[in-house]
Amino acid sequence: MKISTIATVVATVVATVVATAATMRAAITPGSLVTISQAADSSNAAAWWSPLDEAGGYSWLAYLVNPSGGSVSNNNVMIARRDTSSGGILRGCVKSASGACDVFADNIGHNQPSIAIDGDGYVHVFTSMHHATWNYYRSQDPYSVAEIIDASSELPDQSLLYTYPIVKRDAAGDLWLIIRGYNDDLQFSSDGDVHIQWEWAKYPASAGRHESSYLRYRPSTGVFKTIDGVAVSVPVTQSTANLVFQPLATGEIYGDDSGLPPMMQSAKLALYENSAGTVLVQHAFRFQAEVGGTWQIRRSVSHRGNSVWTQETVFSADNTTAALGFTHDGTTARIHFCKKQGSAWVLERSASSTGWSSTELAAVKGQQVQRLQAILRSDGDDVLYLTAATNVNSTTGSVYFLTVGGRE
Ligand SMILES: *[C@@H]1O[C@H](CO)[C@@H](O)[C@H](O)[C@H]1NC(C)=O
Ligand SMILES: *[C@@H]1O[C@H](CO)[C@@H](O)[C@H](O)[C@H]1NC(C)=O
């Protein structure tokens, strides 16, 4: 297992598969809803996290539960391993060296877990860091949930304080971690490059974020490039040319802690490699244009893979929650999202469609799902982690798993 560090952000570990198939998908074909837990902690909700991975013939879902017999203001971190063929589920908690399930304080939107499985099958979990030193756990055995033990002391930069770990696996099986500030997403192209997406705020803790940005990193050379292929030295700033994919709107300012619109949030990154081998980079994100306005969904695309960004508003009809999933398969882009009144939907656009279609994921209708994550399988199916914070009672919610197929 290799741990890499990227510049001003500390970077480590894992990967999702970026499909490059030339086929199209159009029909939205959800599978059956799988209930992973109806004992989730009501604080099991975040926009930035990566609580879902697939590896070794299993889906891996990380979630919080109220500690058995403990305070509802605390949580244990559970890992559910679901066999992709049989559907059988095994569970384990992250543990201290003494073997007890570790207990953490609830802190919604900040202390949630991210998970990734490395190329050798080891399970890596980062959790409960809101301006805190490392809370990092690793399984003792490949593909095992039995002994996922505190390994925080093995990481570099022990004295720094961290927030928002996002961890993913590249095609070589190494894990990459982006952490701290407003990091959003990581993806990998088939040439081994790491694509990094983040947003900026006035203070480390401001809810209003702006000028979402993108860089491409080549591990073999250590060089960072902007979308137009220009090498830049880090740290970069908002004034680095062609870094920002969502420029400041009219009247948009860096405000105080609470944040005032115009502002953006919850960005996700999707890549598409065309037949010429060009990597087309796309961002989906939420944007609130005015006070009291809906949180819209927007997309910013580099159409020719080496040009400046083009923005479009994809959805503004209803209010959305701080949760987006973004995948791209063949010529089809999909944005999974939740409406504020509680339901999960998918926006889809393919080369053969004239605009975006919006389809409710009927399987979760009525479950009050408010957060989700989506990853793309190599067969073109999207795999969704869905969570409802309080649909059992005031302290307890649920975690669901759903595949959404439909490649043509
Ligand atoms: C949308 O939700 C935000 C809070 O997330 C709220 O400030 C805004 O007023 C809502 N807008 C509408 C039109 O419901
Ligand atoms: C909520 O449900 C959980 C799981 O069934 C239970 O342990 C807990 O006591 C319930 N809490 C309340 C406030 O009803």
Side-chain angles (χ1 to χ4, degrees):
M1 196 271 305
K2 186 176 81 184
I3 295 184
S4 310
T5 301
I6 299 181
T8 53
V9 290
V10 178
T12 328
V13 220
V14 203
T16 54
V17 176
V18 177
T20 57
T23 48
M24 299 195 314
R25 59 183 178 166
I28 305 281
T29 316
S32 303
L33 188 67
V34 177
T35 300
I36 297 294
S37 175
Q38 288 190 304
D41 192 293
S42 58
S43 71
N44 187 60
W48 50 265
W49 60 353
S50 53
L52 172 67
D53 194 13
E54 291 209 317
Y58 304 105
S59 306
W60 303 82
L61 297 93
Y63 61 98
L64 305 178
V65 296
N66 288 309
S68 172
S71 165
V72 295
S73 304
N74 290 334
N75 64 72
N76 296 137
V77 180
M78 300 299 297
I79 309 304
R81 188 194 81 176
R82 180 176 184 270
D83 189 302
T84 306
S85 312
S86 72
I89 296 176
L90 276 184
R91 296 168 208 274
C93 60
V94 306
K95 295 176 178 174
S96 64
S98 71
C101 293
D102 257 346
V103 178
F104 303 99
D106 288 353
N107 184 347
I108 195 162
H110 302 294
N111 278 4
Q112 289 66 41
S114 285
I115 185 171
I117 318 304
D118 71 28
D120 296 325
Y122 290 91
V123 181
H124 302 249
V125 180
F126 292 82
T127 195
S128 210
M129 288 179 284
H130 188 195
H131 207 51
T133 53
W134 293 115
N135 280 321
Y136 164 63
Y137 295 79
R138 193 172 66 239
S139 67
Q140 301 297 291
D141 297 303
Y143 304 115
S144 171
V145 294
E147 299 294 334
I148 304 175
I149 307 288
D150 192 344
S152 306
S153 64
E154 297 179 20
L155 293 183
D157 299 313
Q158 288 283 320
S159 61
L160 295 185
L161 302 175
Y162 301 100
T163 313
Y164 309 139
I166 294 167
V167 59
K168 295 193 174 181
R169 179 181 60 253
D170 70 15
D174 292 330
L175 304 194
W176 293 81
L177 175 80
I178 181 170
I179 193 161
R180 187 78 206 134
Y182 288 106
N183 42 299
D184 280 311
D185 207 359
L186 291 172
Q187 295 290 353
F188 310 94
S189 45
S190 59
D191 57 8
D193 284 4
V194 183
H195 300 252
I196 307 164
Q197 179 200 51
W198 75 96
E199 54 203 34
W200 303 82
K202 184 171 181 179
Y203 306 112
S206 171
R209 295 160 213 157
H210 311 278
E211 296 190 296
S212 296
S213 298
Y214 162 88
L215 277 179
R216 178 171 178 163
Y217 176 68
R218 178 154 296 181
S220 57
T221 61
V223 172
F224 291 85
K225 290 184 176 176
T226 50
I227 188 64
D228 54 346
V230 173
V232 292
S233 53
V234 291
V236 288
T237 72
Q238 294 95 320
S239 54
T240 301
N242 290 317
L243 183 85
V244 170
F245 62 80
Q246 168 63 25
L248 290 176
T250 304
E252 184 171 354
I253 53 158
Y254 281 81
D256 63 11
D257 272 5
S258 54
L260 274 182
M263 58 184 178
M264 56 78 52
Q265 257 194 12
S266 329
K268 298 290 175 204
L269 180 60
L271 306 181
Y272 165 50
E273 298 184 38
N274 67 18
S275 52
T278 305
V279 182
L280 306 182
V281 181
Q282 308 176 62
H283 309 272
F285 57 96
R286 294 166 70 242
F287 188 83
Q288 193 182 31
E290 57 197 13
V291 176
T294 56
W295 275 96
Q296 311 165 347
I297 298 171
R298 295 192 175 191
R299 183 172 74 151
S300 182
V301 179
S302 167
H303 282 291
R304 289 186 299 281
N306 59 353
S307 62
V308 293
W309 304 105
T310 307
Q311 292 88 19
E312 68 175 314
T313 300
V314 176
F315 181 83
S316 58
D318 292 302
N319 224 343
T320 65
T321 66
L324 291 186
F326 192 18
T327 63
H328 195 118
D329 177 55
T331 64
T332 302
R334 281 185 179 170
I335 303 173
H336 300 270
F337 72 104
C338 297
K339 291 191 181 179
K340 203 144 192 177
Q341 52 273 49
S343 192
W345 293 65
V346 55
L347 296 155
E348 181 178 278
R349 180 169 192 160
S350 69
S352 59
S353 60
T354 49
W356 291 87
S357 64
S358 181
T359 305
E360 181 166 19
L361 296 175
V364 290
K365 194 182 178 103
Q367 303 292 1
Q368 300 164 41
V369 165
Q370 292 284 277
R371 295 290 184 276
L372 56 78
Q373 191 199 6
I375 59 176
L376 177 63
R377 275 183 184 162
S378 54
D379 65 1
D381 284 3
D382 288 341
V383 183
L384 267 57
Y385 177 113
L386 302 143
T387 185
T390 51
N391 71 348
V392 174
N393 62 35
S394 61
T395 63
T396 308
S398 304
V399 174
Y400 303 101
F401 173 88
L402 183 70
T403 59
V404 181
R407 179 187 275 175
E408 284 184 341

